[in-house]
Each structure stands twice: as structure tokens, then as C-alpha cells.
Amino acid sequence: MRRFALPAFAVVGVLLLSACSKDTNDGGRPVPVGGESGTTTSSTPSTAPSSAPATTTAPATTAKPTAPTAKQVIVQPGNFASNPAVQGLVTSYPLYFQALVSKDDTILKKRFPSFFYSDVSQGIQDAKRNGWIMKPPGSVVVVGASSTPDGTVAVRTCRSQTTQYWNPKARNWAVVTPKGSPEVIEMIKTGIGWMPYRLATSKGVNCASVRYPA
């Protein structure tokens, strides 16, 4: 039995080794729920809340309403406002007037029937050549509308003196008509509505008693 007894110093050594092995990171410690050993979570936020007072947003200021753009030309349909051809003239005439003011007939070439473009284009070219000037505002009053044998509607109008060309060399209107001048435009129904088809003779149209809106 003596040969199995350990010396006293051997027993002490074994006890010391077992005590030291408990302090090493040998995987013997329990792993917390979450996975990694030795990590802890903190309830303290990573960045401290700002102590600066909250800024208040100033109320948005209401923008002033913009004034409506003044019309270059006023077309007054009068008693013929319910006529579809007259309605088409009221819609399309501002573009026609714009071409006269800018002396640019390409505006009409893109949007109007070819007959009307041909009729008006020559007048625009004459205005360019003679240096005539037309400035807004202008005004046109419808004084009649009647069907033609060609299937068009002849809309009779009176153009105010301010709707004519001004000749700066002669210092006079290119069309000298103190009470305005007659103009008859035949309207035709197209796929996009009633459009100016051609200029017709203005014989018999009296503009002497017409009052123009501009």
C-alpha cells in the first residue's frame, strides 16, 4: 500500500495547478445568451441627447398673387358667341395676331391651314420690308357670321386702329381707317376644331359704329 501513496509536495502541486487553471480563458466559463463570452450590454445611449432648445419654424409667408398677363388682343364675339366657328376664331385669333406683331409667319405655317397661311404670309413679308410696326393691345369685334357654299363660315370682323400696322416713316397707320377696318375670315371645321381657312373680301362690312374694347 505504501507504493501508491503520493508524496506531500506532489499533492500540494496538483492543488495549485487546479486553482490557477480556473482563472484562464479556457472556455470553461458559462457563455451568456447572446453568444460571446465576457460581453455585456449597456442601457446608456451611445450619444448624449442635445441640451439645445428646440427651434421653432417660422410660419410660411403667403406669396402675393401674380397679376394676370395682359392680353395682346381682345376678340369680342358679341351676339355671335354661341356660333362654333366664332368660338374657333376667338381661340385662334391671338396666335394670328402674335404672328403679325412678331412678323414671324412660321407660327402660322405650323398651326393653320395652308390657304390662310398663304394669305397672311404676304402681308407679314410686306410689313418686314416696309418697316411697319404693330404693338399690342389690339381688339377685334365680330359683327356677323354666315355659312358659305363651300362649307365654311364667313366671320365678319372689325379691327380697331390699334390692330393695324404703324408706318414709322410716314408716321401714320399703314391702313388709314379712323373707325377701324373690316376683315372677313372664313372658318373651316377640322379635326382639331374650327380654324381660319382663308381671308375673304370685306365688301359690305361697315365698322363706322363699332365700339372697340381696346
Side-chain angles (χ1 to χ4, degrees):
M1 294 297 292
R2 290 180 58 90
R3 57 184 179 185
F4 295 106
L6 292 174
F9 67 89
V11 174
V12 173
V14 170
L15 293 176
L16 288 174
L17 286 174
S18 61
C20 291
S21 64
K22 289 182 182 180
D23 292 334
T24 59
N25 189 13
D26 59 354
R29 292 184 180 181
V31 178
V33 178
E36 294 182 3
S37 171
T39 56
T40 57
T41 57
S42 172
S43 60
T44 307
S46 57
T47 56
S50 173
S51 58
T55 56
T56 56
T57 307
T61 55
T62 307
K64 293 182 180 179
T66 11
T69 308
K71 292 182 179 179
Q72 282 195 328
V73 64
I74 300 170
V75 185
Q76 190 178 75
N79 298 327
F80 306 94
S82 60
N83 188 306
V86 173
Q87 293 172 2
L89 179 70
V90 171
T91 304
S92 59
Y93 201 97
L95 190 60
Y96 167 39
F97 187 74
Q98 180 187 342
L100 299 177
V101 170
S102 64
K103 290 180 279 197
D104 182 6
D105 57 1
T106 58
I107 299 174
L108 303 180
K109 190 174 185 179
K110 294 177 181 178
R111 299 282 300 274
F112 285 61
S114 57
F115 281 152
F116 186 77
Y117 164 74
S118 300
D119 288 347
V120 176
S121 178
Q122 186 58 51
I124 291 177
Q125 296 305 320
D126 290 343
K128 280 184 180 180
R129 185 173 55 256
N130 295 308
W132 295 341
I133 301 169
M134 183 182 287
K135 293 182 180 179
S139 64
V140 176
V141 176
V142 177
V143 295
S146 57
S147 299
T148 73
D150 296 334
T152 65
V153 174
V155 179
R156 299 184 292 278
T157 69
C158 288
R159 296 167 33 139
S160 69
Q161 191 60 273
T162 58
T163 319
Q164 317 303 328
Y165 283 114
W166 173 260
N167 187 343
K169 295 177 183 178
R171 297 188 63 80
N172 204 343
W173 296 104
V175 180
V176 183
T177 48
K179 295 294 183 179
S181 61
E183 182 180 47
V184 179
I185 300 177
E186 289 187 14
M187 304 292 293
I188 190 169
K189 189 175 183 180
T190 68
I192 58 173
W194 286 88
M195 296 292 291
Y197 179 58
R198 62 188 171 195
L199 294 178
T201 177
S202 58
K203 186 179 178 180
V205 181
N206 187 359
C207 299
S209 59
V210 173
R211 298 184 64 181
Y212 301 99

